[in-house]
Amino acid sequence: MKKGFVRLKTGGGSLVLLLAAACSSTPSPYDGLPHKGGKSIRYTKMEMRPFEVDASQTSLGGQWFMKDSLLYFMDSYRAGLKSFNPDGTFVANEIRQGRGPGEMVSAAWCSALDKETGNWVVQDHNAALIGYNAGFEQVFHTMSAWFNAFSSSAAEDLERLIKHPDPENILMYEYNYNVDRMQYRDGRVYMPVLTEHVKYNAYDLGANAKDYWRQAHILLAFDLDSMAGTGKLFGNYPPVYQKSNIPLYSAYDFAVTDNRIYVGFEADSLIYAFDLQGTLLYSIGSGQAGISGDYPATYSFEEYEKEYAKAGPKAGAYGRLYAEGGYLFRTCQTDAGEWFLQVYEDEILVGDIALPGTLEIFGYHEGWYYAFQEVDLEKESFRMLKFRL
């Protein structure tokens, strides 16, 4: 699966009409969805202070978090969690490689931090889920891939699902590496999911792609201590994905707050608000100047692979979401390759700020937001940025 933004090739006009016509008769949760918010720009600049973090003792790949005044780096290729002061100085190895209570055997492909409790959930390279408390002691382990917790273990049921795909069945889904994020709040895990079932996927119209864009779910929520009994699929792709087949622009991001889940998609200028039970409520959001929204399509997995492998100019799209400190942020990359940060307050667009490049916000402390920019390979360091409006 892709990372970032990829340019696609035009074509398949008649198939676009066929796809739209086939979907038009099926009820959609987006039908009649109200749009809230508005636009009142008052932030066009922000105070930015770059700093660096030594990355020589890491694999250079991983995820950043912030709890209180400390920065945390969960390495994706070397097992362990490191902490740093806000200026980037090293503090401690909080979790090491090993089999003890404060250790981990396999590196963390994806992780999430519950900032209220300080508890962690980690998905390792074997797809197992491991829970750690605020003292970095291991308190939970699925012992096998997380999706096994939702399996009936009945071979005939799985065989039936292979022949007759069902988008309402959790066993259809796997972790969506395209999104590369989980959320953890009040003991509940929110995981991005997708299905690449041979008879039901986003790539091939012969594999029911027209139904996939309308019916396939994008998020799975469950309580960590009772996965099978609390698992719930929710969310679907919005109408823009029913106009043409654009799997290379199918990435999305989401932010979980006290009472809302906000979801944004690469190819959609809108941001969608759900309640914590997964019910779609309304949309907010404004389009970014410089993003045309003209996304050519592919209609087979072979076309998808060919376009994915191509290098070239990047098409404009909508990126990461982050919510904290009273604001919701969204990064955007224009057709010209320029980066902007949209700022929403009370679901109204109040900021449109040019950025020096890509940005992934991960923390907030004493009025400052903290973000990862990029890896400096020559210096073996992480380029970071803290900013305030």
Side-chain angles (χ1 to χ4, degrees):
M1 301 299 293
K2 76 178 179 63
K3 297 284 186 182
F5 307 114
V6 181
R7 186 183 176 94
L8 294 136
K9 186 175 74 174
T10 57
S14 61
L15 288 176
V16 173
L17 295 176
L18 175 64
L19 180 62
C23 291
S24 61
S25 61
T26 306
S28 166
Y30 292 94
D31 292 344
L33 188 70
H35 182 75
K36 292 187 176 184
K39 186 176 181 179
S40 180
I41 302 295
R42 65 176 187 271
Y43 299 116
T44 56
K45 296 181 180 180
M46 61 187 186
E47 182 180 353
M48 295 183 285
R49 295 186 183 178
F51 64 100
E52 293 189 356
V53 176
D54 180 21
S56 61
Q57 300 303 310
T58 75
S59 70
L60 302 179
Q63 291 180 287
W64 285 96
F65 303 91
M66 189 170 197
K67 175 71 170 66
D68 298 327
S69 63
L70 290 181
L71 316 181
Y72 294 92
F73 179 72
M74 186 74 80
D75 204 304
S76 290
Y77 302 97
R78 293 182 182 176
L81 174 70
K82 299 180 185 298
S83 60
F84 300 85
N85 283 315
D87 63 358
T89 57
F90 176 75
V91 175
N93 287 303
E94 307 292 359
I95 299 175
R96 298 175 181 269
Q97 186 169 26
R99 298 183 179 276
E103 299 176 330
M104 59 197 312
V105 175
S106 176
W109 184 257
C110 186
S111 308
L113 166 66
D114 185 336
K115 292 189 177 183
E116 295 300 316
T117 64
N119 296 334
W120 299 78
V121 62
V122 170
Q123 181 180 186
D124 70 13
H125 283 236
N126 299 312
L129 289 181
I130 305 102
Y132 294 88
N133 62 23
F136 309 106
E137 297 174 315
Q138 187 180 127
V139 294
F140 177 87
H141 201 305
T142 58
M143 306 307 294
S144 65
W146 62 265
F147 43 79
N148 288 330
F150 301 99
S151 174
S152 65
S153 73
E156 60 270 20
D157 290 344
L158 297 177
E159 182 67 23
R160 189 180 303 113
L161 197 60
I162 291 172
K163 294 180 179 179
H164 305 286
D166 176 8
E168 301 304 318
N169 192 319
I170 292 176
L171 297 182
M172 282 277 292
Y173 295 88
E174 59 188 275
Y175 176 71
N176 192 338
Y177 291 92
N178 232 3
V179 178
D180 195 26
R181 187 197 297 281
M182 293 192 303
Q183 301 280 358
Y184 189 32
R185 196 177 188 92
D186 296 329
R188 194 157 178 82
V189 177
Y190 299 85
M191 180 184 291
V193 292
L194 86 166
T195 177
E196 295 184 327
H197 193 289
V198 66
K199 294 183 178 180
Y200 193 92
N201 60 64
Y203 310 105
D204 190 347
L205 290 187
N208 295 299
K210 62 182 182 295
D211 294 325
Y212 176 92
W213 294 114
R214 179 173 286 256
Q215 298 176 357
H217 293 291
I218 60 170
L219 291 167
L220 169 65
F222 53 85
D223 293 346
L224 193 61
D225 60 358
S226 180
M227 295 175 62
T230 60
K232 180 179 181 180
L233 293 164
F234 68 97
N236 309 90
Y237 277 95
V240 67
Y241 289 92
Q242 297 154 32
K243 296 178 181 178
S244 61
N245 213 62
I246 51 174
L248 278 170
Y249 285 88
S250 62
Y252 52 92
D253 198 20
F254 63 106
V256 181
T257 69
D258 288 336
N259 61 357
R260 290 288 181 268
I261 303 169
Y262 293 103
V263 183
F265 299 82
E266 277 189 311
D268 197 335
S269 63
L270 300 179
I271 300 170
Y272 297 93
F274 296 75
D275 63 22
L276 296 184
Q277 288 69 50
T279 301
L280 180 60
L281 301 175
Y282 52 86
S283 67
I284 64 170
S286 297
Q288 179 65 38
I291 296 180
S292 65
D294 184 15
Y295 302 116
T298 59
Y299 293 97
S300 69
F301 189 71
E302 291 74 21
E303 286 184 23
Y304 171 89
E305 284 189 312
K306 185 182 296 184
E307 297 300 331
Y308 175 74
K310 286 183 178 179
K314 298 176 180 178
Y318 298 90
R320 286 298 201 188
L321 294 177
Y322 183 82
E324 196 170 5
Y327 295 102
L328 172 66
F329 298 92
R330 177 169 65 169
T331 59
C332 310
Q333 186 187 35
T334 68
D335 295 349
E338 299 172 323
W339 285 91
F340 288 85
L341 183 66
Q342 292 187 340
V343 184
Y344 292 86
E345 183 180 29
D346 296 326
E347 302 183 333
I348 296 173
L349 181 65
V350 297
D352 185 8
I353 303 169
L355 293 173
T358 182
L359 197 71
E360 183 155 347
I361 306 168
F362 63 84
Y364 174 76
H365 181 65
E366 294 184 344
W368 290 91
Y369 290 91
Y370 289 77
F372 164 71
Q373 290 184 288
E374 61 183 356
V375 173
D376 188 323
L377 294 176
E378 291 186 2
K379 292 184 177 180
E380 287 192 287
S381 67
F382 298 108
R383 291 180 180 172
M384 315 293 282
L385 182 74
K386 73 175 188 176
F387 68 88
R388 62 184 177 187
L389 301 175

